[in-house]
Amino acid sequence: MRNDVLADIFRKSLLTRVFEDRFVKLAMEGVVPPLLHPGAGQEVAQIAAIAALKDDDPVLYAHRGTGYMIARGVSMRAMLADCAGRAGGTNNGKGGIMHVVDTSKGIFGESGTLGGGLVISVGMGMAVKKKKTGQVVVHFFGDGGSNRGTFHESLNWAAVQKLPCVYICENNGWAVSVPVSESTAVENIADRAHGYGIPGVIVDGADPAAVMDAVRTAAERARSGQGPTLIEIKAIRLRGHYATDPQDYRADAAEVAKNDPLETLRARVISMGLMTEAEVETLLTECEAEVQQAVEEMQASPPLSPEAAFEDVMV
Amino acid sequence: MRTITYAKALNEALDESLQADEDVIIYGCDVGRWGGIFKITGGLQTKYGADRVFDSPISENVLVGAGVGAAVMGLRPVVELQFADFLITAGDEVFFKAGMWRFMHGGAFKVPMVLRLPSGETGAGPEHSACPEAYVMHSPGLLCCVPSTPADAKSLLKQAIQSDNPVMFFEHRRLYQQRGEIDDDAPLIPFGKAAIRREGRHVTIVAWQMMLNRALKAAETLAEEGIEVEIIDPRTLAPFDFDTILTSVKKTGACLVVEEGYRRLGVGAEIGARLFEEALPYLDRPFRRLAIPDVPISSIPALVNRIIPTVDQIVATVREMAA
Ligand SMILES: Cc1ncc(C[n+]2csc(CCOP(=O)(O)OP(=O)(O)O)c2C)c(N)n1
């Protein structure tokens, strides 16, 4: 793995963490609704996965975190505007933080119903295949979402048609308060790939090089017409399900906090000599300033007219 | 002018749409090799190839959801569900994805897809017999066609495929073999424009598809008794041409809706509510509905015929209204 790529993943992961922590603060202050599902613990893997793709490969995501958007350079100001009901958002206040969209950066949105994006991804795959655009459609979702029937229907039909799709399940061990062991009959979500005759790959979400490798291999396979791959990222959820979730159902919170992939990456970046401690501190300050600027710009934008409630229903 | 069946009209609309636009694709269970269980897509795979007209697994959620995804990426998918009832099977994809994907992403996408929904009683029981168009009317973001004649079927289907919005297209199975005149040079019928199928001054009847046929029959009997009904075929339920009904009701002062859907909160309930809001001064008799009473549809003809509005019921109801 190239050093500059690793450093970039670190920079974007740190920015994502700072952005989301600030988002939670804004939620506590009542500036935005507390609807963010923090991606803390998963952002390194999300950003590494995006780094293995081409910039115009369309991405569908689930509700957990904003790493995908930050990786693709979606405006933080616009994402905050979506949530605060200000003008200049990505979805004109219609979808808040959960339906961030920027097709110019390949961000194609999210299904509010878990598993609902899987079916959409199949049609997107059919379209790019028919139009021979060379793109690969990538869909991120959680272990909980993989228990919807849409998972079965979508992976089966995507495999039958050999669609250029990559399915990335971020298994963080929890669906809200229910541990995956109590909801899911197999140990690994990737094992289900056998049921569709496609490769199922497991990677460690704290290892950006492994994530990149797996996604690159899957994307190449998809691009060359061999069909989809199911990748399972073994991830950890550092925070509550949503911004202000007290997590009182959870005994492992303190334990997983010791294994924060962002901390691991930070230590690695320093030990490899890519950055000094001082440079990391400077980077942190820069990220905070960038987020601060986005917050200020968002707050300077005019509120959306309530009449926007009637817009964007149909063409 | 030619005379063709409703089924042939639909097939021609699909054929001409495939011909006109490379982005049109057709898929669904059995629509490819076999031409569909009701043979509406017959011959199309042979003519346009299996990458444009193809069979799918029995996976209604992904059938509809993939239509949305393909539409978002610039195709114009025409998806067939074998039975209109399966609209509910694919509820998330119909109501949330087709109806709201554009909205919840602030207008970032267009969703030009058509879902073909063969409706009406088949004798196969409550999950294969409904006319569930009221569900579609109830939920935002969807257009809804209910063509009653071969000419309308062809025109509205072509229009639906050209539309940049998601269209739920109800085809009534009992009409497939019905013949009608078609003018190949006529311009496409716009959405939201009702047809007045018969003019009259005593009672307005709103009806479409099989119920329209029954209303037209009833009108003949009633005419012999000196009762002249005006019959309005809405053609599309979303958008809905309320103005044509209002104009008619101003003349007749009475309105009956005959529908093959369930009565409670059905299409007739909506029309009645709007008349109550906007036309009360013009109604000199109570608004009436004939619909399927709120029980599931059976499989035995005697039981089915007991609950679907009949010509006799229409005649009797109009007589009461005109008395
Ligand atoms: C169909 C559906 N059921 C339930 C929910 C409510 N819900 C939102 S997120 C969530 C848990 C999802 O767990 P998982 O997919 O593992 O993702 P994670 O939150 O762990 O990232 C639930 C139950 C929903 N949005 N959609």
Side-chain angles (χ1 to χ4, degrees), chain B:
Chain B
M1 286 278 200
R2 304 181 285 144
T3 300
I4 60 171
T5 63
Y6 186 94
K8 177 86 171 93
L10 292 168
N11 181 272
E12 285 185 7
L14 295 172
D15 190 345
E16 289 168 26
S17 301
L18 284 161
Q19 186 79 49
D21 186 347
E22 184 60 35
D23 287 332
V24 175
I25 59 166
I26 294 178
Y27 64 81
C29 299
D30 305 292
V31 304
R33 185 178 295 117
W34 209 43
I37 57 170
F38 301 111
K39 293 285 175 282
I40 303 303
T41 54
L44 298 177
Q45 188 180 68
T46 315
K47 191 163 172 188
Y48 295 98
D51 58 335
R52 293 188 67 199
V53 181
F54 47 96
D55 292 320
S56 70
I58 303 156
S59 299
E60 280 71 16
N61 298 87
V62 76
L63 287 192
V64 181
V68 177
V72 157
M73 295 303 277
L75 295 183
R76 291 187 178 270
V78 183
V79 183
E80 177 177 312
L81 293 187
Q82 296 188 320
F83 294 84
D85 314 66
F86 303 167
L87 181 81
I88 312 299
T89 314
D92 184 68
E93 289 70 27
V94 168
F95 298 111
F96 298 158
K97 298 301 159 318
M100 301 180 192
W101 190 257
R102 170 182 167 82
F103 178 83
M104 66 186 154
H105 294 100
F109 308 110
K110 292 191 296 189
V111 184
M113 74 172 286
V114 178
L115 189 61
R116 291 185 36 245
L117 298 155
S119 62
E121 174 275 314
T122 55
E127 296 151 309
H128 293 75
S129 297
C131 288
E133 44 265 32
Y135 295 82
V136 173
M137 245 182 133
H138 181 69
S139 205
L142 300 171
L143 300 175
C144 178
C145 296
V146 285
S148 301
T149 68
D152 282 11
K154 181 167 180 182
S155 181
L156 289 173
L157 184 51
K158 286 178 81 167
Q159 183 89 325
I161 295 169
Q162 287 170 26
S163 167
D164 280 335
N165 293 307
V167 183
M168 302 296 117
F169 194 91
F170 290 91
E171 307 166 359
H172 200 290
R173 272 181 292 263
R174 297 268 170 198
L175 302 183
Y176 278 151
Q177 296 318 315
Q178 182 169 307
R179 303 182 75 83
E181 283 194 335
I182 187 160
D183 174 1
D184 290 318
D185 301 321
L188 293 184
I189 299 162
F191 285 1
K193 188 83 202 78
I196 298 172
R197 299 295 180 193
R198 183 181 173 113
E199 287 189 36
R201 59 204 163 89
H202 296 122
V203 173
T204 301
I205 298 181
V206 183
W208 56 100
Q209 299 188 321
M210 189 164 84
M211 294 301 105
L212 172 64
N213 286 352
R214 293 190 180 176
L216 287 166
K217 267 216 189 85
E220 286 167 25
T221 309
L222 290 161
E224 289 164 14
E225 301 170 15
I227 303 171
E228 292 297 338
V229 296
E230 179 142 297
I231 299 182
I232 296 174
D233 169 4
R235 302 205 277 206
T236 62
L237 296 177
F240 189 76
D241 180 3
F242 188 69
D243 288 347
T244 298
I245 294 176
L246 195 58
T247 307
S248 176
V249 166
K250 282 182 183 168
K251 179 170 67 173
T252 61
C255 182
L256 165 69
V257 175
V258 190
E259 68 180 302
E260 211 181 317
Y262 296 114
R263 179 181 170 90
R264 197 165 48 210
L265 289 179
V267 179
E270 170 63 15
I271 296 173
R274 283 200 65 180
L275 288 171
F276 199 75
E277 287 173 326
E278 296 172 46
L280 204 52
Y282 311 106
L283 284 174
D284 39 54
R285 277 139 296 167
F287 167 78
R288 297 286 299 270
R289 286 178 284 166
L290 285 171
I292 297 204
D294 297 308
V295 294
I297 302 163
S298 319
S299 1
I300 304 303
L303 278 62
V304 174
N305 294 336
R306 172 68 184 80
I307 60 169
I308 298 184
T310 60
V311 175
D312 288 348
Q313 278 172 339
I314 299 170
V315 169
T317 307
V318 173
R319 266 191 207 129
E320 281 172 34
M321 293 174 80

Side-chain angles (χ1 to χ4, degrees), chain A residues 58 60-61 90-92 94-95 98-101 103 107-113 116-124 126-128 130-131 135 137 148 150 153-154 156-157 160-161 308-315, chain B residues 22-25 27 51-52 54-75 92-93 96-97 99 101-111 140-143 164-166:
Chain A
L60 292 161
Y61 55 91
T90 75
N91 56 45
N92 293 330
K94 305 299 169 35
M98 244 113 64
H99 300 284
V100 170
V101 63
T103 53
I107 298 294
F108 273 72
E110 189 243 4
S111 163
T113 54
L118 289 156
V119 292
I120 306 256
S121 74
V122 172
M124 290 172 63
M126 287 159 62
V128 299
K130 179 166 186 299
K131 288 174 175 280
Q135 290 161 296
V137 177
R148 284 289 316 282
T150 51
E153 291 197 3
S154 301
N156 178 60
W157 206 25
V160 166
Q161 297 183 82
F310 295 93
E311 293 162 6
D312 304 323
V313 182
M314 287 198 215
V315 177
Chain B
E22 184 60 35
D23 287 332
V24 175
I25 59 166
Y27 64 81
D51 58 335
R52 293 188 67 199
F54 47 96
D55 292 320
S56 70
I58 303 156
S59 299
E60 280 71 16
N61 298 87
V62 76
L63 287 192
V64 181
V68 177
V72 157
M73 295 303 277
L75 295 183
D92 184 68
E93 289 70 27
F96 298 158
K97 298 301 159 318
W101 190 257
R102 170 182 167 82
F103 178 83
M104 66 186 154
H105 294 100
F109 308 110
K110 292 191 296 189
V111 184
L142 300 171
L143 300 175
D164 280 335
N165 293 307

